[in-house]
């Protein structure tokens, strides 16, 4: 009777947890007693849900790995009460991904509600077994144990319940905050069994009953003692309960273990409290906890804290990698290791390193070859985001196949499988990978090189190795000396001298990066093994080749020198022309009223560059120090850019600005205050009272000591300034205003650093390397706003940040960067958004991987300046409109001599001389003027 009562109580408890049919948020089915309008609204909503379900199913048929799409479909089907479709949807998702604790609990409760017969109960048991394998979750284990109590009346029911409780304690019984609930549930179950074993009141128990009572009491004692030896939250209450329940005093050994557990609990409390107060995903707090347990060295506790961390950070590949490494090197339990690896690749299928470790673990634990091959095929379909990932997974699988081969036999099934896999790998990279990424990921043909080594060293098949190397060289590798030397070393070790000599002769002819090196290797070979004829042939061939190389280098150097000389002559001509023009202006006798204007025009056209070349002349007069300050300030800007070109303004405004700024004292920048100063640029040239405007803006960061806007010699604002604070922390806080829109333009705020003293200093807000959690979107309409783009992107994951790329004037460029919470969401968004139409524009979406930023000392055609001379020749203000308009077309077509030298023969045969190339002479505007007059 007591057993039946326990079963009824368990069933009642389960009934309370079951979800009602229909909408889970509605609290159960309700009769439709509303009016016809509400009925019509319900029908419309039902039709909309059906259409959405159909759309989601079609989307999953296209991309089965869309995690969010699975979640949306399951939610809609559960809301509509489509139990058959719901079960099928959950089944498909569980085959692809480990399910979270919430999804499993919802699924289990729905199945428990429908399970009435014993056969259906067995299916629920199977579902529980799958659930506890995905993650170690105390709630699922507790639900499993409580559900098993409902089958206590069946044959072997009690032992089955005990078995499930014991497995639950092994899995999560050490959980500091949630383990107590399992121990208490287990004890309550054993107490219920004890009640059924009690004899009827007034009766004398038989010997069998007495033995059963003692045995059951001992089980409860054992549970108490086991629990008190484990550091668990609120273990003092458990100890008090044991004291009250036990008729005998607590043994000294149990008390000693209890005190030891209490001490351990005190050590764990800071980490548990840190987890309790931290925000999701708590990765740093879990890592600190893991480090603590690693030092303690208890494998069970280390495993549990890793599992707890992974339950909340299941999409962090590095955490999975560290956990699997620990299991591989320390525990080495086959079922545990393989289960963890399987869950890792199901959670992070885009991470090739996890797949490689899984294949190695399967080989290490001698898993059947067919299963390993099947897992490798799954890896190929995982959707890696880089071409090199496919090279790595292929190489790992080929290594595995190579280790299976017995090379003492001339031929075997394993050897043929290895050769077939090598051929398939080469074809796969050429077809599948290259079509998707526009590159094979293996430009130096490492897989073919390894294939050739296997054929030469292990199979003694040099003929096949030579064929493979011939194929490697035809893929653009013949110009590299290291490739020829790799082949030569293989031929040297496993081939013959004749083929070594032939390879080196071809290398001398084809190598373009280091021809001297291969020439030296050829001469060394002939010195050791060659005949006199071989030596003479080698010397002649190397001399001819090096002579051609030196000739090409000499021609390139002459061409470069001629271009530099030509530029020098043109600069001299321009300088002379400028001087003559200036002299002619001075010879004229302007009226007194026009003198000021003529002087201003003269300074605007030619005075900038001459004064930049002769800074010592700036000390004369009141206005001479202005340009010196301007020049210095421009060069100490964020990117060393020259100031923006001044817009034309009416004459009266010019005069007014000149008059208002004429008597303002100019203060040179004090570099000793760089730590409390920021450089502000890209401001509007028409900004009225920039000191007042900027002070209002930057006062929010701290007390402003001084604002120094930069004005031209005519009194017009140059669009940039220096903002000096009282404290360094205020300057650091001011950097947060970078890119803030001020009067329609993005304001640039950067640290104040003198580029002359720190030439390598660069500030770039954004990463220039591969970011797997960030997307690069191109082809957007210029009218697309940040909010509109966010609406499109948030359907595929949690969007952390969106940045629309603009030019210096704040105008959109049709580009954007979208940052997601993790790599999984980003990879799913790429698959779903690439090729999407936004406002009649087809956008392109890819993982953010910006190209390497080109160094300024290596100009390229089309992007470099039109002269192979340093930028400083134009003066601190850069190239003016007068200079540009005076430049002949023939001179504009002249390309950069440095670029030509790089693209010509010199690139293929670099000079061996250690002498640095002569730097072109700096030219002023006068030099260019003289050059133009001579033409």
């Amino acid at each position: 009777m007591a057993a039946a009562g326990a079963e009824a109580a368990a069933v009642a408890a389960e009934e309370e947890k079951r979800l009602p049919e229909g909408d889970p948020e509605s609290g159960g089915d309700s009769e439709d007693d509303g009016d016809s309008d509400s009925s019509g609204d319900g029908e419309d909503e039902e039709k909309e849900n059906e259409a959405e379900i159909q759309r989601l199913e079609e989307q999953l048929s296209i991309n089965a790995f869309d995690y969010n799409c699975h979640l949306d479909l399951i939610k809609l089907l559960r809301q509509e009460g489509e139990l058959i479709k719901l079960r099928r949807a959950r089944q498909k998702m569980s085959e692809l991904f480990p399910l979270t604790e919430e999804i499993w609990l919802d699924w289990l409760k729905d199945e428990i509600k429908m399970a009435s017969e014993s056969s259906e109960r067995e299916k629920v048991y199977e579902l529980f077994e799958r659930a506890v394998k995905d993650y170690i979750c105390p709630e699922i284990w507790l639900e499993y144990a409580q559900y098993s109590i409902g089958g206590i009346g069946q044959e072997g029911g009690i032992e089955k319940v005990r078995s499930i409780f014991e497995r639950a304690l092994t899995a999560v019984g050490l959980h500091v905050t949630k383990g107590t609930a399992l121990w208490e549930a287990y004890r309550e179950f054993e107490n219920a069994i004890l009640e059924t074993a009690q004899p009827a009141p007034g009766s004398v128990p038989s010997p069998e009953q007495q033995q059963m009572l003692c045995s059951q009491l001992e089980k409860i004692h054992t549970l108490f003692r086991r629990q008190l030896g484990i550091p668990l939250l609120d273990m003092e209450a458990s100890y008090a309960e044991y004291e009250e329940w036990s008729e005998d005093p607590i043994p000294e050994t149990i008390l000693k273990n209890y005190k030891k557990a209490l001490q351990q609990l005190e050590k764990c409390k800071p980490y548990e409290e840190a987890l309790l107060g931290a925000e999701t995903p708590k990765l740093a707090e879990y890592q600190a906890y893991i480090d603590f347990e690693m030092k303690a060295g208890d494998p069970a506790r280390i495993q549990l804290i890793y599992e707890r961390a992974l339950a909340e950070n299941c999409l962090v590949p590095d955490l999975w990698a560290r956990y699997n490494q620990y299991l591989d090197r320390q525990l080495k339990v086959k079922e545990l290791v393989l289960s963890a690896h399987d869950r890792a690749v199901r959670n992070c299928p885009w991470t090739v390193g996890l797949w490689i470790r899984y294949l190695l673990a399967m080989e290490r634990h001698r898993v059947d070859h067919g299963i390993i091959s099947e897992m490798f095929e799954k890896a190929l379909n995982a959707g890696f985001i880089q071409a090199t990932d496919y090279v790595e997974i292929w190489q790992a699988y080929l290594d595995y196949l190579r280790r299976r081969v017995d090379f003492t036999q001339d031929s075997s099934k394993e050897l043929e499988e290895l050769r077939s896999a090598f051929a398939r790998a080469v074809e796969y990279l050429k077809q599948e990978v290259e079509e998707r990424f526009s590159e094979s990921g293996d430009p130096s043909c490492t897989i073919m090189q390894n294939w050739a080594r296997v054929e030469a060293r292990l199979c003694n098949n040099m003929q096949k190795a030579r064929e493979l190397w011939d194929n490697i060289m035809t893929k653009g590798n013949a110009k590299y000396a290291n490739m020829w030397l790799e082949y030569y070393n293989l031929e040297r070790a496993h081939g013959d001298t004749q083929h070594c000599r032939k390879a080196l002769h071809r290398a001398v002819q084809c190598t373009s990066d280091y021809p001297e090196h291969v020439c030296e290797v050829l001469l060394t070979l002939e010195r050791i093994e060659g005949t006199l004829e071989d030596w003479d042939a080698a010397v002649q061939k190397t001399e001819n080749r090096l002579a051609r190389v030196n000739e090409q280098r000499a021609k390139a150097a002459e061409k470069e020198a001629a271009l530099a000389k030509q530029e020098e002559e043109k600069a001299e001509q321009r300088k002379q022309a400028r001087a003559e023009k200036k002299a002619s202006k001075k010879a004229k006798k302007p009226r007194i009223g026009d003198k000021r204007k003529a002087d201003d025009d003269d300074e605007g056209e030619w005075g900038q560059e001459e004064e930049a070349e002769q800074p010592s002349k700036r000390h004369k007069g009141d206005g001479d120090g202005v340009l010196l300050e301007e020049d210095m300030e421009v060069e100490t800007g964020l990117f060393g850019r020259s100031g923006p070109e001044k817009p034309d303004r009416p004459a009266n405004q010019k005069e007014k600005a000149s008059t208002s700024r004429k008597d303002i004292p100019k203060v040179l920048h004090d570099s000793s205050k760089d730590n409390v100063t920021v450089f502000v640029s890209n401001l509007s040239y028409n900004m009225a009272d920039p000191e007042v405007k900027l002070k209002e803006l930057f006062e929010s960061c701290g007390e402003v000591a001084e604002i120094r806007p930069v004005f031209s010699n005519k009194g017009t604002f140059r669009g940039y300034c220096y903002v000096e604070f009282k404290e360094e922390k205020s300057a650091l806080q001011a950097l947060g205003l970078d890119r803030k829109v001020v009067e329609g333009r993005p304001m640039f705020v950067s640290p104040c650093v003198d580029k002359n003293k720190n030439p390598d200093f660069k500030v770039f807000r954004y990463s220039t390397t591969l970011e797997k959690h960030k997307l690069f979107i191109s082809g957007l309409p210029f009218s697309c706003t940040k909010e509109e783009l966010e609406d499109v992107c948030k359907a595929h994951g949690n969007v952390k940040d969106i940045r629309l790329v603009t030019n210096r004037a704040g105008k959109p460029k049709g580009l954007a960067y979208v940052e997601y919470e993790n790599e999984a969401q980003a990879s799913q968004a790429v698959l779903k958004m690439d090729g999407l139409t936004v406002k009649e524009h087809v956008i392109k979406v890819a993982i953010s991987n910006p190209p390497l930023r080109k160094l300024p000392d290596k100009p390229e055609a089309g992007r470099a300046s039109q002269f192979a001379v340093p930028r400083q020749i134009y003066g601190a203000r850069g190239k003016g409109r007068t200079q540009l308009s005076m430049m002949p077309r023939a001179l504009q077509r002249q390309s950069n001599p440095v670029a030509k030298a790089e693209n010509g023969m010199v690139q293929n045969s670099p000079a061996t001389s250690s002498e640095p190339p002569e730097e072109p002479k700096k030219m002023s505007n006068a030099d260019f003027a003289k050059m133009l007059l001579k033409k």
Side-chain angles (χ1 to χ4, degrees), residues 139-155:
E139 288 81 0
I140 294 179
W141 274 110
L142 184 59
E143 191 77 20
Y144 190 8
Q146 290 177 343
Y147 179 72
S148 65
I149 295 175
I152 197 173
Q154 300 177 358
E155 184 178 357

Side-chain angles (χ1 to χ4, degrees), residues 808-915:
R808 290 177 62 87
K811 303 299 182 182
K813 300 175 70 174
L815 309 174
Y817 289 92
V818 179
E819 182 179 356
Y820 282 92
E821 275 193 349
N822 51 61
E823 301 172 15
Q825 295 178 0
S827 59
Q828 294 298 326
V830 170
L831 296 174
K832 297 183 70 173
M833 293 174 57
D834 189 28
L836 188 69
T837 301
V838 177
K839 293 186 177 181
E840 300 181 355
H841 285 68
V842 178
I843 63 173
K844 293 183 179 180
V845 184
I847 297 295
S848 175
N849 188 15
L852 294 177
R853 296 174 65 82
K854 296 180 175 61
L855 298 177
D857 57 348
K858 294 182 179 179
E860 296 182 6
R863 297 290 298 175
S865 61
Q866 295 178 339
F867 301 100
V869 291
R871 186 173 182 272
Q872 285 78 1
I873 65 166
Y874 301 115
R877 302 189 187 182
K879 191 188 309 180
R881 278 183 286 184
T882 306
Q883 293 169 297
L884 184 61
S885 62
M886 295 291 290
M887 187 177 299
R889 293 180 181 175
L891 193 56
Q892 290 182 10
R893 290 194 293 269
Q894 291 287 347
S895 62
N896 193 325
V898 177
K900 283 193 173 181
E902 290 181 356
N903 296 328
M905 300 303 292
V906 176
Q907 183 184 10
N908 295 333
S909 304
T912 58
S913 174
S914 60
E915 296 180 4

Side-chain angles (χ1 to χ4, degrees), residues 766-767 769-780 784-805 814-830 833-834 836 838 843-850:
Y766 308 108
S767 174
T769 59
L770 176 67
E771 298 175 281
K772 298 182 180 180
H773 65 291
K774 186 178 290 187
L775 305 184
F776 173 68
I777 304 178
S778 59
L780 289 168
C784 182
T785 64
K786 182 176 180 180
E787 291 73 18
E788 292 172 341
L789 183 59
E790 184 176 7
D791 291 338
V792 176
C793 298
K794 69 182 181 182
H796 313 300
N798 295 328
V799 178
K800 294 181 63 178
D801 185 40
I802 292 180
R803 176 167 64 93
L804 295 176
V805 181
L815 309 174
Y817 289 92
V818 179
E819 182 179 356
Y820 282 92
E821 275 193 349
N822 51 61
E823 301 172 15
Q825 295 178 0
S827 59
Q828 294 298 326
V830 170
M833 293 174 57
D834 189 28
L836 188 69
V838 177
I843 63 173
K844 293 183 179 180
V845 184
I847 297 295
S848 175
N849 188 15

Side-chain angles (χ1 to χ4, degrees), residues 371-628:
I371 297 177
I372 296 179
S373 298
E374 182 180 348
M375 191 58 59
F376 167 71
E377 296 297 333
K378 287 184 179 179
L380 287 182
N381 296 322
F384 301 131
I385 58 178
Q386 294 183 95
T388 53
D389 292 345
Y390 288 93
V391 179
E392 292 180 28
I393 193 66
W394 266 111
Q395 192 58 66
Y397 183 60
L398 292 169
D399 292 345
Y400 157 71
L401 294 179
R402 194 266 308 161
R403 290 189 285 266
R404 296 182 68 242
V405 179
D406 181 6
F407 289 100
T408 59
Q409 303 178 11
D410 293 337
S411 62
S412 62
K413 179 181 177 182
E414 290 80 8
L415 179 58
E416 293 304 318
E417 184 178 4
L418 174 62
R419 285 172 170 160
S420 175
F422 267 118
R424 183 189 167 200
V426 173
E427 187 65 22
Y428 186 91
L429 294 177
K430 180 181 178 182
Q431 299 291 337
E432 302 289 337
V433 178
E434 193 166 347
E435 180 180 350
R436 178 180 173 186
F437 296 97
S438 300
E439 60 167 326
S440 66
D442 190 16
S444 50
C445 303
T446 55
I447 287 182
M448 293 183 70
Q449 288 189 46
N450 291 331
W451 188 4
R453 294 187 189 103
V454 170
E455 294 289 352
R457 298 176 184 177
L458 302 177
C459 301
N460 298 318
N461 188 356
M462 274 304 299
Q463 182 60 34
K464 179 64 176 178
R466 292 181 186 119
E467 292 176 3
L468 290 169
W469 267 104
D470 184 67
N471 195 2
I472 291 172
M473 292 303 183
T474 58
K475 294 183 179 296
N477 293 304
K479 59 185 178 181
Y480 301 117
N482 67 315
M483 299 296 288
W484 282 108
L485 294 179
E486 186 70 30
Y487 172 44
Y488 165 74
N489 291 331
L490 185 68
E491 195 71 63
R492 188 75 169 155
H494 307 284
D496 53 60
T497 305
Q498 186 61 31
H499 282 91
C500 289
R501 181 176 291 111
K502 183 179 179 181
L504 289 177
H505 276 274
R506 290 179 59 194
V508 170
Q509 189 67 28
C510 300
T511 300
S512 60
D513 55 352
Y514 298 105
E516 295 88 353
H517 194 179
V518 293
C519 289
E520 182 182 351
V521 175
L522 175 59
L523 293 176
T524 301
L525 173 68
E526 300 301 358
R527 180 175 285 113
I528 296 174
E529 299 188 17
T531 63
L532 179 59
E533 290 78 10
D534 294 332
W535 172 261
D536 290 339
V539 170
Q540 182 180 358
K541 192 173 189 68
T542 55
E543 286 179 349
N544 292 339
R545 173 59 175 160
L546 292 179
R548 289 197 302 271
V549 169
N550 291 331
E551 182 182 353
Q552 293 168 357
R553 292 171 179 169
K555 287 182 179 179
E558 290 176 3
K559 188 175 181 181
E560 184 177 355
L563 288 172
K565 185 177 181 181
Q566 183 181 2
E567 294 296 337
E568 185 178 352
E569 292 174 353
K570 291 179 179 179
E572 185 65 27
Q573 292 174 4
R574 294 190 178 187
K575 184 176 181 180
Q576 183 178 353
R578 187 184 61 182
E580 293 177 356
K581 184 175 180 180
K582 191 172 184 178
S584 65
K585 286 188 176 181
K586 289 183 178 180
K588 296 179 180 180
K589 295 181 179 179
R591 295 187 302 272
I592 296 177
D594 297 334
K595 183 176 181 180
R596 174 72 180 182
K597 183 178 179 183
D599 290 341
D600 287 346
D601 294 339
D602 180 53
E603 288 292 326
E605 290 184 349
W606 303 104
Q608 297 174 5
E609 286 70 26
E610 182 177 350
E611 288 173 355
E613 292 175 356
Q614 302 173 357
S616 61
K617 297 181 180 180
R618 303 279 182 109
H619 299 288
K620 298 180 180 180
D622 295 336
D624 293 336
V626 179
L627 291 180
L628 176 61

